[in-house]
Amino acid sequence: MKMPRGGARFVIGFLALPVLLYVVFVIAPYLQAFYLAFTDWRGVSSTPRFSGFDNFTRLLADPTFWAAVGHHVILLLALPLITLAIALFFAFLLNMGAGTKGVRGSKFYQAVFFFPQVLAVAVIGVLFQAVYRPDKGGVLNGLLDLVGIAPIGWLTQPRLALWSLIAVLVWQAVGFYVVLFAAGMANIPKEVVEAAELDGCSRSRMFFQVTLPLLWDTVQVAWVYLGIAAFDGFALVATLSVDRGGPDGSTTVLPLEIWRTAFTYSKFGYASAMGVALFVLSLTFAVLTLRVTRRERIEY
């Protein structure tokens, strides 16, 4: 299709400012971080000294770095799997739990599920400090006390702390994906669902053989988004964990270590090397996920 006369100038003029802002505030800082990763800059010298691959060599021998990477691996496995499973379950119930018409009041339920998404992470951190309090005054421990179970240190026990944070991340994220999947399911032609019902297709079989294949592209994108979120977690860990990444480093993540290395220890070059490693890990995950989960597109 040929662009109308003057259309190219209009498009260029319309996109020029957004692209310029993106280059200045996104691309340029990335390039600067890559440059600083090869220096020993401490944030005070105007001319950073080039140090080659020293920062990356040190990074490979840093136990704190590998501990954080290990936590990201757990997050990568748990956060997408749990969140997508719960979101798909509720979205399917809301859209097809009562046949092709869906559940009455499904829009209201979607709004309720979506509510945690509009809360700031700092607010969620404060909220769950009350939920996870290690004494009987905590919401969870108060409920456990009613059945005679002693209080549990949800955030003070190294084996529980990371999983407690994962539960909060799932609680915050699942509503968005319920709405996303519900919208995708609503676009599935009713004729397809009705034909499956006439063939005697059970609810579980309909989900795995009809709904999920037709929704696969959306699930794939959601998996990538949740994987990228698993490489973050800075705000929640900083506001909710014990001693920012504790106890004993059991909840530390790379963004938190980058912040601590740069602004507490003034090792901006080393922090930039961590940032580059985080960028490579995130990009690798996204590319591998899109390639491994790629399926032939189903037309309907």
Side-chain angles (χ1 to χ4, degrees), residues 209-280:
Q209 296 188 3
V210 177
T211 305
L212 189 58
L214 294 176
L215 202 66
W216 186 254
D217 288 346
T218 306
V219 174
Q220 183 187 48
V221 173
W223 193 292
V224 173
Y225 282 168
L226 284 167
I228 294 174
F231 280 109
D232 187 11
F234 168 80
L236 187 65
V237 173
T239 56
L240 188 56
S241 65
V242 176
D243 295 328
R244 291 179 176 172
D248 299 327
S250 61
T251 60
T252 190
V253 289
L254 281 178
L256 181 65
E257 291 304 321
I258 293 170
W259 174 83
R260 199 195 320 268
T261 302
F263 298 104
T264 301
Y265 306 123
S266 296
K267 299 178 180 179
F268 287 88
Y270 189 52
S272 297
M274 286 187 180
V276 170
L278 179 60
F279 171 80
V280 172

Side-chain angles (χ1 to χ4, degrees), residues 54-78:
D54 290 352
N55 287 328
F56 294 98
T57 303
R58 179 183 171 189
L59 199 64
L60 294 176
D62 189 344
T64 302
F65 169 78
W66 288 113
V69 170
H71 297 155
H72 283 299
V73 171
I74 296 175
L75 285 164
L76 276 174
L77 294 174

Side-chain angles (χ1 to χ4, degrees), residues 17 23 58 75 97 121 153 203 212 214 220 227 240 285 290 300:
L17 182 59
V23 170
R58 179 183 171 189
L75 285 164
V121 178
R203 284 283 175 264
L212 189 58
L214 294 176
Q220 183 187 48
L240 188 56
F285 165 79
L290 290 174
Y300 57 88

